[in-house]
Amino acid sequence: MFRPVAQIPLDYSVFKDKKSIFSWAPSGAIIFGNGAAAKTGEELKKLGVKKAVLVTDQGLVKVGIAGKVIESVKNAGIALAVYDQCEADSSVETVEKITELLDGADVVIGLGGGSSMDPAKAAAIVATNGGSIRDYQGCDKFEKAPLPIVAIPTAAGTGSECTPFAVIADRQREWKMPIGGTGIMPALAICDPELTYSLPASITAATGMDALTHAIEAYTSRCTEPISDALASQAIRLIAHAIRPAVFRGDSDKDARYDMMMGAMLGGYAFTSASLGISHCMAHPLGAQYHVPHGVANALCLPVVMEFNMGAWPERYADIAGFFGVDTYGMSVREAAKAGVDCVYELLEDMPVKPLEAYGVTEESLDRLADDAMLGGDRPNNARMTTKEDFIKLYRKVMTLKKEK
């Protein structure tokens, strides 16, 4: 059926230089463009699929997006089971329910944001390896190839359609489990910007800022390499110029929606190779403990973290100013780097994103949040090393952002 992705171990060795060996394992195939989702059934039939399981959520059922994909698959003569109860920050229990449907399936389809694509990936692991998804926390913990995955994003955000990662909420531990391995790179990504047209401004903003965080953290990671640099820089350019029109006139600006989905996909590919930074280390505990949407958490943390990191690699932050369209001619490297950080602060001011206080985060929250941020797998790859006290100070600064107007 699918040509498998090479099972290359995920290696995020820090301090790469220009002569370091690096690996690159992109997904099996990408179909990108307006109307691409209508071809889902046709593409699955070409690949010899007889039975599929679709993983999605009730919101996409209600707006009719899930129905269009279901119709396409059934019209192709493919047997289809549907799980449509994915929740925000999909949980271990959700993965267990999806896994029960996968017996005899050739492929699992994740339709939605990360909250649908990630549990589809996780269930694909358990379906062939057994046990609980908790057994596979970390990188390269599964031995058998997972069930093939088809990813259809409905927001320009997580980039999960082209990454070897899933994040699953463990409610018992109030912890977001990172799971990685090139075996869960989707064998097919179907990226259709039309699926994002009906997204409200708040979700477009949160998911778009998530995508921007991926791109910026990939570009400033210690694990950068030439391919990730090319992808991350282009992703930043696209998102920097498209996110405002996508948020504020996304019902009519089709070009902005197209560029945002392209930017999110490129950012996903970039951080697959280059890893991320401490914005994500800070965002995951906020989601696990206070249910702050992942994109919102990253949006609030990103400019604060950039300001913190700026001195560690000012040349890269100066590049970011240029990607945003700032004319840095005549500026010192530090001045240009600060301009890059200011671009993101100014962007956050324009975004309809709630402050942390709206989610109940208080000064008393910071010690535990910092403890969990210290456990983040991306921390060693951040441009600047970070202590628990640093995280407390960073969280404290994030709490002052985006006060209700």
Side-chain angles (χ1 to χ4, degrees):
M1 189 175 68
F2 294 107
R3 184 173 65 183
V5 175
Q7 302 299 294
I8 299 173
L10 295 173
D11 178 17
Y12 295 109
S13 302
V14 298
F15 304 117
K16 287 183 180 178
D17 59 38
K18 290 185 179 180
K19 295 183 180 179
S20 295
I21 295 173
F22 66 91
S23 60
W24 183 255
S27 64
I30 303 165
I31 299 173
F32 192 105
N34 294 329
K39 297 182 177 291
T40 302
E42 176 186 332
E43 295 302 323
L44 294 182
K45 188 173 182 179
K46 289 178 185 177
L47 295 167
V49 174
K50 303 296 183 186
K51 179 183 176 182
V53 173
L54 178 70
V55 176
T56 189
D57 62 60
Q58 277 294 299
L60 294 175
V61 171
K62 290 175 181 176
V63 299
I65 289 175
K68 292 178 182 178
V69 174
I70 291 169
E71 181 181 15
S72 173
V73 174
K74 289 186 173 180
N75 285 345
I78 297 169
L80 182 68
V82 178
Y83 181 84
D84 59 9
Q85 298 297 317
C86 287
E87 74 275 44
D89 296 330
S90 284
S91 63
V92 170
E93 292 74 19
T94 295
V95 174
E96 291 170 349
K97 292 173 183 175
I98 297 166
T99 305
E100 291 174 1
L101 298 176
L102 294 181
D103 186 35
D106 301 311
V107 66
V108 57
I109 306 167
L111 171 69
S115 60
S116 294
M117 290 185 282
D118 284 9
K121 291 178 175 182
I125 295 171
V126 178
T128 58
N129 287 270
S132 165
I133 194 58
R134 291 187 177 95
D135 300 331
Y136 306 106
Q137 178 175 324
C139 285
D140 301 309
K141 300 298 184 181
F142 50 88
E143 295 181 358
K144 297 179 182 178
L147 198 67
I149 300 151
V150 172
I152 308 175
T154 59
T158 68
S160 188
E161 67 273 13
C162 56
T163 74
F165 303 108
V167 178
I168 301 298
D170 187 336
R171 309 280 190 226
Q172 293 179 14
R173 294 186 292 161
E174 291 189 319
W175 177 252
K176 284 191 170 184
M177 296 190 301
I179 298 156
T182 50
I184 55 171
M185 270 283 207
L188 175 63
I190 300 175
C191 303
D192 185 345
E194 288 183 359
L195 301 185
T196 69
Y197 288 178
S198 62
L199 284 179
S202 59
I203 295 177
T204 301
T207 56
M209 290 298 291
D210 188 24
L212 181 64
T213 305
H214 295 156
I216 288 177
E217 292 206 307
Y219 192 71
T220 57
S221 157
R222 297 184 185 207
C223 298
T224 60
E225 41 78 9
I227 298 175
S228 69
D229 281 351
L231 294 169
S233 59
Q234 180 65 358
I236 298 168
R237 288 187 182 96
L238 287 169
I239 296 168
H241 293 90
I243 188 169
R244 286 182 175 92
V247 168
F248 296 114
R249 56 174 189 271
D251 58 336
S252 59
D253 196 325
K254 296 180 180 180
D255 289 343
R257 291 292 195 182
Y258 187 101
D259 287 349
M260 285 301 298
M261 182 157 278
M262 180 63 75
M265 184 185 72
L266 295 179
Y269 275 128
F271 85 76
T272 288
S273 181
S275 187
L276 293 164
I278 59 171
S279 288
H280 276 76
C281 297
M282 295 175 68
H284 286 311
L286 289 168
Q289 296 177 34
Y290 292 94
H291 306 293
V292 181
H294 182 65
V296 171
N298 267 326
L300 294 170
C301 292
L302 177 61
V304 173
V305 166
M306 289 177 67
E307 190 171 39
F308 175 80
N309 283 341
M310 183 183 72
W313 205 354
E315 295 84 0
R316 288 277 164 145
Y317 289 91
D319 289 344
I320 290 169
F323 300 156
F324 268 79
V326 176
D327 182 359
T328 59
Y329 181 77
M331 292 185 185
S332 68
V333 171
R334 189 180 186 284
E335 289 170 337
K338 187 176 184 304
V341 175
D342 288 344
C343 285
V344 179
Y345 269 116
E346 292 166 6
L347 177 60
L348 178 62
E349 277 299 306
D350 290 343
M351 293 294 102
V353 171
K354 292 181 181 179
L356 283 188
E357 64 183 2
Y359 298 94
V361 180
T362 65
E363 178 71 24
E364 291 69 35
S365 311
L366 303 189
D367 190 75
R368 184 184 172 194
L369 286 169
D371 280 336
D372 284 359
M374 285 291 291
L375 300 175
D378 296 307
R379 188 172 72 90
N381 303 327
N382 190 66
R384 176 177 170 180
M385 293 309 296
T386 320
T387 66
K388 178 180 176 179
E389 287 305 311
D390 289 329
F391 276 124
I392 289 174
K393 291 176 182 178
L394 289 168
Y395 275 123
R396 187 174 287 130
K397 187 163 187 178
V398 172
M399 286 180 63
T400 68
L401 300 180
K402 298 294 292 186
K403 294 293 185 183
E404 297 282 11
K405 296 178 180 179

